Amino acid sequence: MERNNRKPVVGFIGTGVMGRSMAGHIIQAGYPLLVHTRTRSKAEELIDQGALWHDSPATLAAAADVIITIVGFPSDVEEIYLGQGGIVPHARPGTLLIDMTTSSPALARTIHDQAGEKGIGTLDAPVSGGDIGAREARLSIMVGGTKEDFDKALPLFRQMGSNIVWQGPAGSGQHTKMANQIAIAAGMLGVCEALAYTARSGLDPETVLQSISGGAAGSWSLSNLGPRMIKGDFAPGFYVKHFLKDMGIARESAHAAGIQTPGLDLAHEMYSKLAADGGGELGTQGLFRLYQ
C-alpha cells in the first residue's frame, strides 16, 4: 500500500510484549511510524528509533494512512476504535485499520460496518507465535476482511509474519484464532501432564523432550514452552490473563454454535485456578505450576 510513491505512514497502538517487536520490524523496514500506548515508557525504544509519539488514538488516527492495533481485551478494542476519542471517528476516508488483538468476531464485524460507512477499510488479523514469533517476524497472521484490503496490507504483514493467510470476510480472522486457541488449550494440558509424568518416572526431561518433540506428540507448545517449564521459567511470552480472555471468547463462540468443547472447558477451569492463585501475570507455561 503506497500513496504518491511513498511508503504509507503507519500508526501503531499497543507496544507490549509482542507489539513492541512487531512495530520495530515496521520502522526497520523504512515505514514512517507513529505510536501510542497507555504507558509511554513502553514505547521509548521505538521513539529512540525514530517513531513519533502521539498522546491519543484520535490524533494518531488523523495522521496515519494505516493503523495497527494490538491491545489487551475486546473492551479495549471497542474503546480505541469506536469511542468518542477513538480511531473510527477521527480517521480519514481511505485509511486502513488493522486490529491484531485477539478479540470478538462479532466486534470485528461491527468495527468493519461502522468504519465502512466512512469509507475506511478494516481487517481483523490476530496472530499466533508469542514473543518469540514476534521478535523473529515469524508470526502466523489470520486475516478477515476484503481481499482488496488484505492485498494492500500484505507488504506490512510480511514485515511481522511468515504464515499469512486470508481467511474470508470480516470476523473470519478472529474465528480462525478461536480455532487456534481451542487447539492450544487442550494441548497445554497434555504438555504439562507429560512433563509431570516424566519427572515422577525419574527420567531426564530434556532427554525426553528430545525424543517426543520430533514424533507424533510434537507441537509448538512442546518444543518452545516445554523447555521453559523444565527450567521453571514462567516469564510471559503470552500472559495467562490474556489466554483466559481468549478461551472465554472461544467458549462463547463455540457454545453459541452448539459445539461441545470439553477439552477447552477443562483448560479454562485449570487456568482460572492458576489465575486465582496469583498466576495471571505468568506466561501460559505457568500452568505447569499446578502439576508440581
Side-chain angles (χ1 to χ4, degrees):
M1 179 180 181
E2 294 190 358
R3 295 182 181 228
N4 301 322
N5 296 318
R6 65 168 173 82
K7 289 184 182 294
V9 176
V10 179
F12 205 103
I13 297 177
T15 55
V17 172
M18 295 177 66
R20 185 164 52 249
S21 294
M22 294 160 69
H25 296 311
I26 290 170
I27 197 169
Q28 288 162 19
Y31 289 88
L33 188 71
L34 316 176
V35 293
H36 171 75
T37 191
R38 285 177 175 172
T39 307
R40 176 172 172 149
S41 61
K42 292 184 178 180
E44 289 296 342
E45 181 179 327
L46 295 166
I47 294 169
D48 290 343
Q49 294 178 52
L52 298 179
W53 170 259
H54 276 258
D55 288 326
S56 70
T59 63
L60 182 147
D65 299 316
V66 182
I67 301 167
I68 298 172
T69 57
I70 181 164
V71 292
F73 296 87
S75 57
D76 300 318
V77 174
E78 185 171 12
E79 177 185 356
I80 286 170
Y81 277 91
L82 304 180
Q84 186 175 1
I87 294 168
V88 172
H90 293 90
R92 294 166 288 144
T95 303
L96 179 59
L97 314 181
I98 307 171
D99 183 32
M100 304 187 81
T101 314
T102 298
S103 183
S104 159
L107 179 57
R109 291 192 295 270
T110 297
I111 292 171
H112 173 79
D113 292 344
Q114 293 194 21
E117 293 175 359
K118 292 189 59 180
I120 298 168
T122 70
L123 296 170
D124 51 287
V127 300
S128 182
D131 59 330
I132 298 170
R135 285 198 306 269
E136 298 179 357
R138 292 190 294 103
L139 292 169
S140 178
I141 305 176
M142 315 154 210
V143 189
T146 69
K147 184 62 162 58
E148 180 183 4
D149 284 338
F150 171 78
D151 290 339
K152 290 178 182 177
L154 195 52
L156 278 168
F157 287 146
R158 285 174 174 155
Q159 304 307 318
M160 298 178 283
S162 58
N163 181 23
I164 304 155
V165 182
W166 178 64
Q167 298 291 340
S172 299
Q174 297 295 353
H175 277 305
T176 304
K177 183 59 184 291
M178 292 304 103
N180 183 85
Q181 301 304 71
I182 290 169
I184 289 173
M188 285 294 289
L189 297 179
V191 172
C192 291
E193 290 171 11
L195 291 178
Y197 177 84
T198 295
R200 289 294 180 90
S201 300
L203 299 170
D204 177 69
E206 293 183 359
T207 304
V208 171
L209 271 187
Q210 185 178 352
S211 290
I212 69 174
S213 62
S219 69
W220 188 96
S221 295
L222 188 66
S223 296
N224 290 277
L225 299 182
R228 295 191 188 187
M229 293 178 186
I230 292 169
K231 295 175 183 177
D233 176 7
F234 302 129
F238 185 58
Y239 286 105
V240 164
K241 63 182 180 182
H242 291 157
F243 193 35
L244 274 169
K245 174 261 298 183
D246 294 357
M247 287 189 285
I249 298 170
R251 293 177 77 213
E252 290 174 7
S253 298
H255 296 169
I259 300 169
Q260 298 300 309
T261 56
L264 174 63
D265 294 342
L266 178 57
H268 185 269
E269 179 184 338
M270 295 286 285
Y271 273 102
S272 295
K273 180 179 179 182
L274 177 63
D277 289 342
E281 299 291 328
L282 299 177
T284 52
Q285 72 276 18
L287 185 66
F288 191 54
R289 279 190 173 181
L290 299 185
Y291 291 85
Q292 293 179 305

